[in-house]
Amino acid sequence: MGGAAAPLADDGYGSKGVFHKHNIRGTLFCAVFVMGAILYGYDGTYFTGILAMNTFKKDFGTLTPSGYVIDSKYQSLFASIVQAGEFVGALAAGFIGNKSGRKGAMYVSVAVVTLGAVLQLIVTGSLPLLVVGRLILGMGVGVISNCVTLYLSEIPPSAIRGSMVSSWQLFLAIGQVLGAGVAQGTKDYTSTFSYRMPIALNIAITLIIFTGLWFVPESPRWYVSRGRDDEAAKSLERVHKNNPDADIARELRRMTAAREAEINESGGSTKWSDLLHGVERRKLLAVFGILVCQQISGVQFIFSYGTVFFESIGMNDAFLVTMITDVVEVVGVLVSFFLVNRYGRRPLLLYTTVIMAALLLVMGGLGTISSDVRTKAENAAIASMIIIYVFFFNLAWGPLAWVVATELAGGRSRSRIMSVGTAAFWVAAWAVTFTLPYLYNTDNGAGLGPMVGFIYGGGAVIAFLFVYFYIPETLGRSLEEINMMLELEVPTRSWQNYHAHLDGHRVEPSVVGAKTDAPKQRFLEDVDAPETGEKAVKQSGSQNATARSSTEVGSLAPTKERTEV
C-alpha cells in the first residue's frame, strides 16, 4: 500500500510545530478562517436534532395516530436542500475567489449565511422560508468550503500545512459537538425557542468570523496569481514576522517563478476548458475523486440523520449517543494530527478505508436481523459500528481528503479546480442525504434500515481503489513542488522515489556527472534507473512534460542521492 515518504526538502522554514513562535502568526490567521468549518459542522448536527424535536414536528410535520411525524419527503427536503445551496456556492466560489481573493470570498459567505439564518427565523412555522433560508445558508457554506481550505493550504509553511488543512475537519467536528450540545439543551422546551435558538446561533458564529477577518492578511499566493507581487511580499512578512529563519525573497521568488512558467505554458491566460486537458485534467480528476470518495462511504447520513438513526434502532437516548459520536469524531481528528506527518497521506487513507468498509458491512449484516426480533445488544452493536466508523473516518478521510485536494489543485487554475471539486463534494453529500430516507425508511422507502451499510461499504471499496491507483504521496512537499511533479507526470506510486529542488533562479543536477544541455529545463531522475554509466534522466523537454519557460524553476532527483540547492 505504500510506505511513508522519506523526509523531503522543506520550504526554508524547517519542521517546527504548529505552535512554535515562528509559526504562531500563521496558525492564528488560519484559526480565523477555519471558524468557517464550525458553521458547516454545526448545521448538520443541530438540524438533525431539530428534526427529532416535538415542537418542530408539530409545526412542520403531519399528525398521525402515533403523534406528529416528519414525512420522508420533508425529511429529505429539509436536510438535503442545504447541499443544493452548497453546490451552487462552491461553483460560485471559483469566480468570487479569483476576483476578490480568499478574504473577499469569506466576507461574501458570512453575509450569505447570515441572510439564510435570518430568513428561517423571521416567520415561525413557515415551510417556504425554512426551505429558502436553508438553501441560501447552504450557498454561504459552499463558498466557505472552497475559500477556507485554499487559505489554510496557502498561508502556512509545508511543514505544518497538513495540520492546518486538517484543522478544517477538527473545527467541523467541534461544530458538530456544539450543534449536538445546543440541540440537547433546547429539545425539551415546548415553545419555538427549542428550534429557533439553534438556528440563531449561526448568526453569532458569523459575527465572530467577520470581526476576525479585519486582522488577517490575504493569501500571498492569490496576490501572486494576480500579479500583485509587492502586496504578496507584505502578506508574507505579516505571516513570518519575527521569524529570523524566514527568507521572504526566496519564497516569493519561487511563487513568481512558478507563475511565469505557467503563463508561458498557457499562453498567458487560462480558461475553464483548460481543466479538460493535459495535467489540469489529472489535477481535476484527483481533486474531484478524493472529495467524492470521502462521501460515498456514507458519512453524510450519520452527519445529517444521526439522532434520527439512533432513535430508529431503539437507542434510549438518541441525543446523548449523537453527542458521544461527535466527541469521538473530535478525538479521531486530534489523533490524526500525530499520525499524518509520521505515516503520510496514502497509507492512512488506504488502511482506514479497509477498516471502515469492514465496519459498514458488519452493520449491514446486523441489519439483516428484523427490527422486531433484534435484541438491545444487537442494536447497541449497530450503534457501536457507527461510532467506531466515525473514529476511523476522522483519523484519515475526514481531514486528509481536504489536505490532498488542496495540495493537488496547484497552479493558476487552482481556484477553478477546487471550485469544481467542492461542488462535486456537495453533490455527493446531497445524494447521500437525499436518498437515505428512501433507502432506510419503510414509509414510502426501501426499508433497508441498517442494511444501508452494504451500500456504503461498497462505496468504501471504490474509495480504496481510487486512492491506490490515483493519489500520490504529497507529505513534506511544497505546493510548487507538487505542481511540478504533476506536470512532469511522475507515476502515482513512485513519488517517494523523487526529490524536487526548487529555488526560483537556479537548477543544479542532483547526481555528480549528470549532464544536461538545457540547464534551464526542469528535470527529474528515476531512482530505479540503471546504475551503470549516466542515469537515465527524464527531462521536462519530453512531449508531455515540457517546461516551456525560460525561468529556472527546479529539478527532481532521487531520494537516496539528494543534493541541496
Side-chain angles (χ1 to χ4, degrees), residues 40 83 86-87 90 141-142 145-146 168-169 172 287-296 299-300 303 393 397-398 401-402 405 417-433:
Y40 170 29
Q83 270 102 29
E86 287 159 346
F87 169 76
V141 174
S145 66
N146 181 285
W168 162 268
Q169 188 69 19
L172 186 155
V287 173
F288 180 99
I290 196 71
L291 292 179
V292 169
C293 284
Q294 191 205 52
Q295 290 296 306
I296 60 176
V299 70
Q300 196 68 34
F303 189 18
F393 175 87
W397 275 97
W402 293 99
I417 291 171
M418 280 301 296
S419 178
V420 175
T422 51
F425 168 85
W426 292 119
V427 169
W430 169 84
V432 172
T433 305

mmCIF file of all heavy atoms in Angstrom, residues 40 83 86-87 90 141-142 145-146 168-169 172 287-296 299-300 303 393 397-398 401-402 405 417-433:
data_model
loop_
_atom_site.group_PDB
_atom_site.id
_atom_site.type_symbol
_atom_site.label_atom_id
_atom_site.label_comp_id
_atom_site.label_asym_id
_atom_site.label_seq_id
_atom_site.Cartn_x
_atom_site.Cartn_y
_atom_site.Cartn_z
ATOM 1 N N TYR A 40 -20.248 24.774 9.018
ATOM 2 C CA TYR A 40 -20.600 23.553 8.280
ATOM 3 C C TYR A 40 -20.946 22.424 9.249
ATOM 4 O O TYR A 40 -22.001 21.787 9.135
ATOM 5 C CB TYR A 40 -19.438 23.182 7.367
ATOM 6 C CG TYR A 40 -19.542 21.820 6.711
ATOM 7 C CD1 TYR A 40 -20.774 21.236 6.429
ATOM 8 C CD2 TYR A 40 -18.396 21.117 6.361
ATOM 9 C CE1 TYR A 40 -20.858 19.994 5.815
ATOM 10 C CE2 TYR A 40 -18.469 19.875 5.744
ATOM 11 C CZ TYR A 40 -19.703 19.317 5.489
ATOM 12 O OH TYR A 40 -19.786 18.086 4.889
ATOM 13 N N GLN A 83 -27.536 21.112 0.883
ATOM 14 C CA GLN A 83 -26.469 20.653 -0.014
ATOM 15 C C GLN A 83 -26.634 21.215 -1.426
ATOM 16 O O GLN A 83 -25.645 21.477 -2.108
ATOM 17 C CB GLN A 83 -26.433 19.125 -0.075
ATOM 18 C CG GLN A 83 -25.531 18.498 0.957
ATOM 19 C CD GLN A 83 -26.319 17.934 2.122
ATOM 20 O OE1 GLN A 83 -27.461 17.522 1.955
ATOM 21 N NE2 GLN A 83 -25.724 17.911 3.286
ATOM 22 N N GLU A 86 -25.117 24.459 -1.139
ATOM 23 C CA GLU A 86 -23.655 24.331 -1.031
ATOM 24 C C GLU A 86 -23.016 24.053 -2.389
ATOM 25 O O GLU A 86 -21.921 24.533 -2.676
ATOM 26 C CB GLU A 86 -23.333 23.222 -0.022
ATOM 27 C CG GLU A 86 -23.604 23.654 1.406
ATOM 28 C CD GLU A 86 -23.802 22.498 2.385
ATOM 29 O OE1 GLU A 86 -23.991 21.360 1.934
ATOM 30 O OE2 GLU A 86 -23.792 22.756 3.605
ATOM 31 N N PHE A 87 -23.714 23.298 -3.240
ATOM 32 C CA PHE A 87 -23.229 23.051 -4.600
ATOM 33 C C PHE A 87 -23.132 24.364 -5.382
ATOM 34 O O PHE A 87 -22.118 24.663 -6.011
ATOM 35 C CB PHE A 87 -24.169 22.077 -5.308
ATOM 36 C CG PHE A 87 -23.928 21.951 -6.787
ATOM 37 C CD1 PHE A 87 -22.856 21.221 -7.265
ATOM 38 C CD2 PHE A 87 -24.782 22.567 -7.695
ATOM 39 C CE1 PHE A 87 -22.630 21.102 -8.632
ATOM 40 C CE2 PHE A 87 -24.574 22.449 -9.052
ATOM 41 C CZ PHE A 87 -23.491 21.718 -9.528
ATOM 42 N N ALA A 90 -20.314 26.505 -3.944
ATOM 43 C CA ALA A 90 -18.977 26.015 -4.290
ATOM 44 C C ALA A 90 -18.598 26.399 -5.715
ATOM 45 O O ALA A 90 -17.450 26.771 -5.989
ATOM 46 C CB ALA A 90 -18.917 24.498 -4.113
ATOM 47 N N VAL A 141 -22.153 28.319 2.987
ATOM 48 C CA VAL A 141 -21.257 27.255 3.430
ATOM 49 C C VAL A 141 -20.472 26.692 2.242
ATOM 50 O O VAL A 141 -19.305 26.317 2.374
ATOM 51 C CB VAL A 141 -22.049 26.140 4.142
ATOM 52 C CG1 VAL A 141 -21.148 24.954 4.485
ATOM 53 C CG2 VAL A 141 -22.687 26.682 5.419
ATOM 54 N N GLY A 142 -21.102 26.653 1.055
ATOM 55 C CA GLY A 142 -20.397 26.180 -0.133
ATOM 56 C C GLY A 142 -19.210 27.054 -0.489
ATOM 57 O O GLY A 142 -18.137 26.547 -0.850
ATOM 58 N N SER A 145 -16.427 26.327 2.026
ATOM 59 C CA SER A 145 -15.687 25.081 1.817
ATOM 60 C C SER A 145 -14.583 25.252 0.783
ATOM 61 O O SER A 145 -13.600 24.509 0.796
ATOM 62 C CB SER A 145 -16.639 23.970 1.373
ATOM 63 O OG SER A 145 -17.184 24.237 0.089
ATOM 64 N N ASN A 146 -14.715 26.227 -0.094
ATOM 65 C CA ASN A 146 -13.687 26.500 -1.097
ATOM 66 C C ASN A 146 -12.616 27.437 -0.557
ATOM 67 O O ASN A 146 -11.428 27.110 -0.557
ATOM 68 C CB ASN A 146 -14.343 27.093 -2.343
ATOM 69 C CG ASN A 146 -13.342 27.396 -3.453
ATOM 70 O OD1 ASN A 146 -12.601 28.360 -3.378
ATOM 71 N ND2 ASN A 146 -13.341 26.577 -4.484
ATOM 72 N N TRP A 168 -9.452 21.983 9.390
ATOM 73 C CA TRP A 168 -10.805 22.122 8.830
ATOM 74 C C TRP A 168 -11.721 21.048 9.407
ATOM 75 O O TRP A 168 -12.829 21.338 9.863
ATOM 76 C CB TRP A 168 -10.745 22.026 7.306
ATOM 77 C CG TRP A 168 -12.057 21.740 6.639
ATOM 78 C CD1 TRP A 168 -12.563 20.517 6.305
ATOM 79 C CD2 TRP A 168 -13.046 22.691 6.223
ATOM 80 N NE1 TRP A 168 -13.806 20.642 5.707
ATOM 81 C CE2 TRP A 168 -14.118 21.960 5.644
ATOM 82 C CE3 TRP A 168 -13.132 24.087 6.283
ATOM 83 C CZ2 TRP A 168 -15.258 22.586 5.130
ATOM 84 C CZ3 TRP A 168 -14.268 24.699 5.770
ATOM 85 C CH2 TRP A 168 -15.299 23.973 5.202
ATOM 86 N N GLN A 169 -11.250 19.808 9.396
ATOM 87 C CA GLN A 169 -12.073 18.707 9.908
ATOM 88 C C GLN A 169 -12.215 18.783 11.421
ATOM 89 O O GLN A 169 -13.264 18.434 11.969
ATOM 90 C CB GLN A 169 -11.471 17.360 9.500
ATOM 91 C CG GLN A 169 -12.351 16.160 9.807
ATOM 92 C CD GLN A 169 -13.597 16.101 8.936
ATOM 93 O OE1 GLN A 169 -13.643 16.742 7.885
ATOM 94 N NE2 GLN A 169 -14.595 15.328 9.354
ATOM 95 N N LEU A 172 -14.739 21.444 12.074
ATOM 96 C CA LEU A 172 -16.018 20.902 11.641
ATOM 97 C C LEU A 172 -16.583 19.996 12.738
ATOM 98 O O LEU A 172 -17.775 20.070 13.073
ATOM 99 C CB LEU A 172 -15.820 20.131 10.339
ATOM 100 C CG LEU A 172 -17.040 19.562 9.596
ATOM 101 C CD1 LEU A 172 -16.706 19.397 8.115
ATOM 102 C CD2 LEU A 172 -17.471 18.216 10.163
ATOM 103 N N VAL A 287 -8.723 15.810 -7.512
ATOM 104 C CA VAL A 287 -9.487 16.586 -6.528
ATOM 105 C C VAL A 287 -10.943 16.139 -6.518
ATOM 106 O O VAL A 287 -11.536 15.922 -5.451
ATOM 107 C CB VAL A 287 -9.375 18.091 -6.845
ATOM 108 C CG1 VAL A 287 -10.298 18.905 -5.943
ATOM 109 C CG2 VAL A 287 -7.927 18.557 -6.673
ATOM 110 N N PHE A 288 -11.524 16.002 -7.703
ATOM 111 C CA PHE A 288 -12.909 15.538 -7.831
ATOM 112 C C PHE A 288 -13.070 14.181 -7.151
ATOM 113 O O PHE A 288 -13.981 13.973 -6.335
ATOM 114 C CB PHE A 288 -13.247 15.445 -9.325
ATOM 115 C CG PHE A 288 -14.647 14.982 -9.622
ATOM 116 C CD1 PHE A 288 -15.640 15.893 -9.939
ATOM 117 C CD2 PHE A 288 -14.972 13.630 -9.619
ATOM 118 C CE1 PHE A 288 -16.931 15.466 -10.232
ATOM 119 C CE2 PHE A 288 -16.248 13.188 -9.901
ATOM 120 C CZ PHE A 288 -17.239 14.116 -10.216
ATOM 121 N N GLY A 289 -12.170 13.255 -7.468
ATOM 122 C CA GLY A 289 -12.287 11.895 -6.960
ATOM 123 C C GLY A 289 -12.115 11.796 -5.457
ATOM 124 O O GLY A 289 -12.898 11.105 -4.780
ATOM 125 N N ILE A 290 -11.114 12.471 -4.897
ATOM 126 C CA ILE A 290 -10.836 12.335 -3.469
ATOM 127 C C ILE A 290 -11.967 12.916 -2.628
ATOM 128 O O ILE A 290 -12.343 12.370 -1.577
ATOM 129 C CB ILE A 290 -9.478 12.975 -3.084
ATOM 130 C CG1 ILE A 290 -9.016 12.492 -1.707
ATOM 131 C CG2 ILE A 290 -9.532 14.495 -3.108
ATOM 132 C CD1 ILE A 290 -8.581 11.060 -1.673
ATOM 133 N N LEU A 291 -12.580 14.024 -3.103
ATOM 134 C CA LEU A 291 -13.663 14.638 -2.337
ATOM 135 C C LEU A 291 -14.970 13.863 -2.482
ATOM 136 O O LEU A 291 -15.750 13.759 -1.523
ATOM 137 C CB LEU A 291 -13.846 16.097 -2.767
ATOM 138 C CG LEU A 291 -12.689 17.029 -2.395
ATOM 139 C CD1 LEU A 291 -12.944 18.448 -2.893
ATOM 140 C CD2 LEU A 291 -12.446 17.047 -0.886
ATOM 141 N N VAL A 292 -15.225 13.300 -3.660
ATOM 142 C CA VAL A 292 -16.412 12.469 -3.824
ATOM 143 C C VAL A 292 -16.273 11.167 -3.043
ATOM 144 O O VAL A 292 -17.212 10.717 -2.375
ATOM 145 C CB VAL A 292 -16.674 12.182 -5.318
ATOM 146 C CG1 VAL A 292 -17.743 11.105 -5.488
ATOM 147 C CG2 VAL A 292 -17.103 13.455 -6.035
ATOM 148 N N CYS A 293 -15.085 10.571 -3.097
ATOM 149 C CA CYS A 293 -14.854 9.317 -2.366
ATOM 150 C C CYS A 293 -14.998 9.500 -0.858
ATOM 151 O O CYS A 293 -15.348 8.557 -0.148
ATOM 152 C CB CYS A 293 -13.475 8.755 -2.703
ATOM 153 S SG CYS A 293 -13.385 7.977 -4.335
ATOM 154 N N GLN A 294 -14.734 10.712 -0.378
ATOM 155 C CA GLN A 294 -14.929 10.962 1.052
ATOM 156 C C GLN A 294 -16.388 10.764 1.441
ATOM 157 O O GLN A 294 -16.694 10.373 2.565
ATOM 158 C CB GLN A 294 -14.490 12.386 1.407
ATOM 159 C CG GLN A 294 -14.412 12.624 2.909
ATOM 160 C CD GLN A 294 -14.585 14.084 3.286
ATOM 161 O OE1 GLN A 294 -15.538 14.731 2.872
ATOM 162 N NE2 GLN A 294 -13.654 14.603 4.067
ATOM 163 N N GLN A 295 -17.294 11.023 0.504
ATOM 164 C CA GLN A 295 -18.717 10.993 0.810
ATOM 165 C C GLN A 295 -19.396 9.651 0.516
ATOM 166 O O GLN A 295 -20.384 9.309 1.151
ATOM 167 C CB GLN A 295 -19.434 12.098 0.020
ATOM 168 C CG GLN A 295 -19.098 13.484 0.502
ATOM 169 C CD GLN A 295 -19.557 13.716 1.930
ATOM 170 O OE1 GLN A 295 -20.715 13.526 2.268
ATOM 171 N NE2 GLN A 295 -18.637 14.129 2.783
ATOM 172 N N ILE A 296 -18.885 8.892 -0.457
ATOM 173 C CA ILE A 296 -19.646 7.725 -0.902
ATOM 174 C C ILE A 296 -19.609 6.562 0.089
ATOM 175 O O ILE A 296 -20.322 5.572 -0.112
ATOM 176 C CB ILE A 296 -19.176 7.245 -2.291
ATOM 177 C CG1 ILE A 296 -17.698 6.855 -2.277
ATOM 178 C CG2 ILE A 296 -19.467 8.293 -3.348
ATOM 179 C CD1 ILE A 296 -17.218 6.279 -3.607
ATOM 180 N N VAL A 299 -20.728 8.774 5.199
ATOM 181 C CA VAL A 299 -20.609 9.528 6.444
ATOM 182 C C VAL A 299 -21.687 10.592 6.561
ATOM 183 O O VAL A 299 -22.106 10.942 7.671
ATOM 184 C CB VAL A 299 -19.204 10.164 6.559
ATOM 185 C CG1 VAL A 299 -19.017 11.284 5.547
ATOM 186 C CG2 VAL A 299 -18.943 10.649 7.971
ATOM 187 N N GLN A 300 -22.178 11.091 5.426
ATOM 188 C CA GLN A 300 -23.162 12.167 5.470
ATOM 189 C C GLN A 300 -24.481 11.720 6.085
ATOM 190 O O GLN A 300 -25.207 12.515 6.663
ATOM 191 C CB GLN A 300 -23.391 12.715 4.058
ATOM 192 C CG GLN A 300 -24.082 14.065 4.021
ATOM 193 C CD GLN A 300 -23.215 15.172 4.581
ATOM 194 O OE1 GLN A 300 -22.003 15.152 4.439
ATOM 195 N NE2 GLN A 300 -23.835 16.142 5.236
ATOM 196 N N PHE A 303 -23.993 12.271 9.643
ATOM 197 C CA PHE A 303 -23.929 13.712 9.856
ATOM 198 C C PHE A 303 -25.334 14.330 9.847
ATOM 199 O O PHE A 303 -25.665 15.160 10.696
ATOM 200 C CB PHE A 303 -23.063 14.300 8.733
ATOM 201 C CG PHE A 303 -22.699 15.735 8.890
ATOM 202 C CD1 PHE A 303 -22.777 16.389 10.103
ATOM 203 C CD2 PHE A 303 -22.243 16.451 7.791
ATOM 204 C CE1 PHE A 303 -22.421 17.716 10.237
ATOM 205 C CE2 PHE A 303 -21.890 17.778 7.906
ATOM 206 C CZ PHE A 303 -21.989 18.419 9.128
ATOM 207 N N PHE A 393 -12.925 7.174 10.233
ATOM 208 C CA PHE A 393 -13.131 8.140 9.157
ATOM 209 C C PHE A 393 -12.375 9.427 9.449
ATOM 210 O O PHE A 393 -11.713 9.992 8.562
ATOM 211 C CB PHE A 393 -14.628 8.431 8.999
ATOM 212 C CG PHE A 393 -14.935 9.510 7.994
ATOM 213 C CD1 PHE A 393 -15.087 9.194 6.655
ATOM 214 C CD2 PHE A 393 -15.065 10.829 8.386
ATOM 215 C CE1 PHE A 393 -15.364 10.192 5.717
ATOM 216 C CE2 PHE A 393 -15.336 11.837 7.468
ATOM 217 C CZ PHE A 393 -15.492 11.511 6.129
ATOM 218 N N TRP A 397 -9.824 10.052 6.380
ATOM 219 C CA TRP A 397 -10.618 10.626 5.310
ATOM 220 C C TRP A 397 -11.181 11.996 5.652
ATOM 221 O O TRP A 397 -11.231 12.879 4.779
ATOM 222 C CB TRP A 397 -11.749 9.670 4.943
ATOM 223 C CG TRP A 397 -11.300 8.636 3.967
ATOM 224 C CD1 TRP A 397 -10.887 7.362 4.249
ATOM 225 C CD2 TRP A 397 -11.180 8.779 2.551
ATOM 226 N NE1 TRP A 397 -10.514 6.709 3.097
ATOM 227 C CE2 TRP A 397 -10.689 7.555 2.035
ATOM 228 C CE3 TRP A 397 -11.432 9.821 1.665
ATOM 229 C CZ2 TRP A 397 -10.464 7.358 0.674
ATOM 230 C CZ3 TRP A 397 -11.206 9.620 0.308
ATOM 231 C CH2 TRP A 397 -10.730 8.403 -0.174
ATOM 232 N N GLY A 398 -11.634 12.187 6.871
ATOM 233 C CA GLY A 398 -12.209 13.479 7.238
ATOM 234 C C GLY A 398 -11.263 14.633 6.953
ATOM 235 O O GLY A 398 -11.563 15.520 6.150
ATOM 236 N N ALA A 401 -8.755 14.118 3.061
ATOM 237 C CA ALA A 401 -9.329 14.353 1.738
ATOM 238 C C ALA A 401 -9.163 15.813 1.345
ATOM 239 O O ALA A 401 -8.816 16.134 0.195
ATOM 240 C CB ALA A 401 -10.806 13.958 1.723
ATOM 241 N N TRP A 402 -9.372 16.718 2.310
ATOM 242 C CA TRP A 402 -9.216 18.144 2.029
ATOM 243 C C TRP A 402 -7.745 18.524 1.884
ATOM 244 O O TRP A 402 -7.393 19.380 1.063
ATOM 245 C CB TRP A 402 -9.882 18.971 3.127
ATOM 246 C CG TRP A 402 -11.360 18.821 3.142
ATOM 247 C CD1 TRP A 402 -12.108 18.020 3.970
ATOM 248 C CD2 TRP A 402 -12.290 19.435 2.249
ATOM 249 N NE1 TRP A 402 -13.435 18.123 3.662
ATOM 250 C CE2 TRP A 402 -13.586 18.986 2.613
ATOM 251 C CE3 TRP A 402 -12.163 20.340 1.191
ATOM 252 C CZ2 TRP A 402 -14.734 19.408 1.947
ATOM 253 C CZ3 TRP A 402 -13.315 20.753 0.523
ATOM 254 C CH2 TRP A 402 -14.569 20.298 0.901
ATOM 255 N N ALA A 405 -6.701 17.292 -1.575
ATOM 256 C CA ALA A 405 -7.348 18.091 -2.617
ATOM 257 C C ALA A 405 -6.657 19.436 -2.794
ATOM 258 O O ALA A 405 -6.349 19.843 -3.917
ATOM 259 C CB ALA A 405 -8.823 18.294 -2.289
ATOM 260 N N ILE A 417 -10.260 24.533 -10.085
ATOM 261 C CA ILE A 417 -10.225 23.098 -9.777
ATOM 262 C C ILE A 417 -10.910 22.830 -8.438
ATOM 263 O O ILE A 417 -11.734 21.922 -8.313
ATOM 264 C CB ILE A 417 -8.779 22.580 -9.764
ATOM 265 C CG1 ILE A 417 -8.201 22.592 -11.180
ATOM 266 C CG2 ILE A 417 -8.716 21.166 -9.184
ATOM 267 C CD1 ILE A 417 -6.717 22.294 -11.240
ATOM 268 N N MET A 418 -10.580 23.640 -7.437
ATOM 269 C CA MET A 418 -11.206 23.451 -6.125
ATOM 270 C C MET A 418 -12.695 23.772 -6.172
ATOM 271 O O MET A 418 -13.503 23.161 -5.461
ATOM 272 C CB MET A 418 -10.509 24.315 -5.073
ATOM 273 C CG MET A 418 -9.209 23.731 -4.560
ATOM 274 S SD MET A 418 -9.408 22.091 -3.793
ATOM 275 C CE MET A 418 -10.452 22.488 -2.385
ATOM 276 N N SER A 419 -13.082 24.722 -7.014
ATOM 277 C CA SER A 419 -14.495 25.056 -7.144
ATOM 278 C C SER A 419 -15.277 23.862 -7.677
ATOM 279 O O SER A 419 -16.326 23.487 -7.124
ATOM 280 C CB SER A 419 -14.657 26.258 -8.084
ATOM 281 O OG SER A 419 -16.015 26.576 -8.263
ATOM 282 N N VAL A 420 -14.769 23.235 -8.739
ATOM 283 C CA VAL A 420 -15.443 22.058 -9.295
ATOM 284 C C VAL A 420 -15.395 20.894 -8.304
ATOM 285 O O VAL A 420 -16.382 20.172 -8.117
ATOM 286 C CB VAL A 420 -14.794 21.653 -10.639
ATOM 287 C CG1 VAL A 420 -15.412 20.347 -11.157
ATOM 288 C CG2 VAL A 420 -14.962 22.763 -11.663
ATOM 289 N N GLY A 421 -14.235 20.712 -7.661
ATOM 290 C CA GLY A 421 -14.091 19.625 -6.694
ATOM 291 C C GLY A 421 -15.036 19.750 -5.520
ATOM 292 O O GLY A 421 -15.688 18.773 -5.119
ATOM 293 N N THR A 422 -15.132 20.953 -4.941
ATOM 294 C CA THR A 422 -16.029 21.137 -3.798
ATOM 295 C C THR A 422 -17.490 21.052 -4.230
ATOM 296 O O THR A 422 -18.336 20.571 -3.472
ATOM 297 C CB THR A 422 -15.767 22.481 -3.090
ATOM 298 O OG1 THR A 422 -15.772 23.554 -4.055
ATOM 299 C CG2 THR A 422 -14.438 22.469 -2.377
ATOM 300 N N ALA A 423 -17.792 21.503 -5.461
ATOM 301 C CA ALA A 423 -19.162 21.344 -5.963
ATOM 302 C C ALA A 423 -19.509 19.864 -6.079
ATOM 303 O O ALA A 423 -20.619 19.442 -5.709
ATOM 304 C CB ALA A 423 -19.306 22.034 -7.322
ATOM 305 N N ALA A 424 -18.564 19.064 -6.575
ATOM 306 C CA ALA A 424 -18.790 17.615 -6.669
ATOM 307 C C ALA A 424 -18.963 17.002 -5.285
ATOM 308 O O ALA A 424 -19.786 16.102 -5.077
ATOM 309 C CB ALA A 424 -17.629 16.951 -7.401
ATOM 310 N N PHE A 425 -18.192 17.500 -4.326
ATOM 311 C CA PHE A 425 -18.320 17.046 -2.935
ATOM 312 C C PHE A 425 -19.738 17.271 -2.428
ATOM 313 O O PHE A 425 -20.352 16.377 -1.824
ATOM 314 C CB PHE A 425 -17.314 17.819 -2.077
ATOM 315 C CG PHE A 425 -17.522 17.682 -0.601
ATOM 316 C CD1 PHE A 425 -16.983 16.621 0.102
ATOM 317 C CD2 PHE A 425 -18.261 18.629 0.114
ATOM 318 C CE1 PHE A 425 -17.176 16.490 1.477
ATOM 319 C CE2 PHE A 425 -18.454 18.514 1.479
ATOM 320 C CZ PHE A 425 -17.910 17.436 2.159
ATOM 321 N N TRP A 426 -20.283 18.464 -2.698
ATOM 322 C CA TRP A 426 -21.621 18.770 -2.196
ATOM 323 C C TRP A 426 -22.690 17.978 -2.935
ATOM 324 O O TRP A 426 -23.720 17.612 -2.350
ATOM 325 C CB TRP A 426 -21.903 20.273 -2.289
ATOM 326 C CG TRP A 426 -21.069 21.080 -1.359
ATOM 327 C CD1 TRP A 426 -20.161 22.053 -1.679
ATOM 328 C CD2 TRP A 426 -21.039 20.972 0.077
ATOM 329 N NE1 TRP A 426 -19.569 22.558 -0.543
ATOM 330 C CE2 TRP A 426 -20.090 21.916 0.544
ATOM 331 C CE3 TRP A 426 -21.709 20.180 1.002
ATOM 332 C CZ2 TRP A 426 -19.806 22.078 1.892
ATOM 333 C CZ3 TRP A 426 -21.424 20.346 2.350
ATOM 334 C CH2 TRP A 426 -20.492 21.278 2.779
ATOM 335 N N VAL A 427 -22.463 17.694 -4.229
ATOM 336 C CA VAL A 427 -23.416 16.845 -4.955
ATOM 337 C C VAL A 427 -23.446 15.452 -4.331
ATOM 338 O O VAL A 427 -24.522 14.867 -4.123
ATOM 339 C CB VAL A 427 -23.040 16.754 -6.447
ATOM 340 C CG1 VAL A 427 -23.852 15.659 -7.141
ATOM 341 C CG2 VAL A 427 -23.279 18.090 -7.139
ATOM 342 N N ALA A 428 -22.258 14.919 -4.027
ATOM 343 C CA ALA A 428 -22.188 13.598 -3.401
ATOM 344 C C ALA A 428 -22.845 13.615 -2.024
ATOM 345 O O ALA A 428 -23.579 12.686 -1.657
ATOM 346 C CB ALA A 428 -20.736 13.145 -3.296
ATOM 347 N N ALA A 429 -22.592 14.682 -1.260
ATOM 348 C CA ALA A 429 -23.212 14.800 0.064
ATOM 349 C C ALA A 429 -24.728 14.903 -0.059
ATOM 350 O O ALA A 429 -25.476 14.282 0.715
ATOM 351 C CB ALA A 429 -22.653 16.026 0.793
ATOM 352 N N TRP A 430 -25.174 15.675 -1.046
ATOM 353 C CA TRP A 430 -26.617 15.800 -1.277
ATOM 354 C C TRP A 430 -27.217 14.448 -1.660
ATOM 355 O O TRP A 430 -28.299 14.079 -1.179
ATOM 356 C CB TRP A 430 -26.882 16.814 -2.390
ATOM 357 C CG TRP A 430 -28.313 16.783 -2.853
ATOM 358 C CD1 TRP A 430 -29.377 17.435 -2.292
ATOM 359 C CD2 TRP A 430 -28.840 16.039 -3.958
ATOM 360 N NE1 TRP A 430 -30.532 17.135 -2.979
ATOM 361 C CE2 TRP A 430 -30.235 16.284 -4.012
ATOM 362 C CE3 TRP A 430 -28.272 15.194 -4.913
ATOM 363 C CZ2 TRP A 430 -31.055 15.706 -4.974
ATOM 364 C CZ3 TRP A 430 -29.091 14.627 -5.873
ATOM 365 C CH2 TRP A 430 -30.456 14.881 -5.909
ATOM 366 N N ALA A 431 -26.548 13.714 -2.533
ATOM 367 C CA ALA A 431 -27.082 12.425 -2.987
ATOM 368 C C ALA A 431 -27.274 11.466 -1.815
ATOM 369 O O ALA A 431 -28.303 10.782 -1.715
ATOM 370 C CB ALA A 431 -26.147 11.817 -4.031
ATOM 371 N N VAL A 432 -26.295 11.423 -0.905
ATOM 372 C CA VAL A 432 -26.408 10.553 0.269
ATOM 373 C C VAL A 432 -27.550 11.028 1.166
ATOM 374 O O VAL A 432 -28.382 10.229 1.626
ATOM 375 C CB VAL A 432 -25.079 10.515 1.045
ATOM 376 C CG1 VAL A 432 -25.251 9.761 2.368
ATOM 377 C CG2 VAL A 432 -23.981 9.862 0.216
ATOM 378 N N THR A 433 -27.596 12.333 1.399
ATOM 379 C CA THR A 433 -28.611 12.885 2.298
ATOM 380 C C THR A 433 -30.016 12.719 1.734
ATOM 381 O O THR A 433 -30.961 12.373 2.459
ATOM 382 C CB THR A 433 -28.332 14.377 2.557
ATOM 383 O OG1 THR A 433 -26.997 14.530 3.041
ATOM 384 C CG2 THR A 433 -29.291 14.955 3.577
#
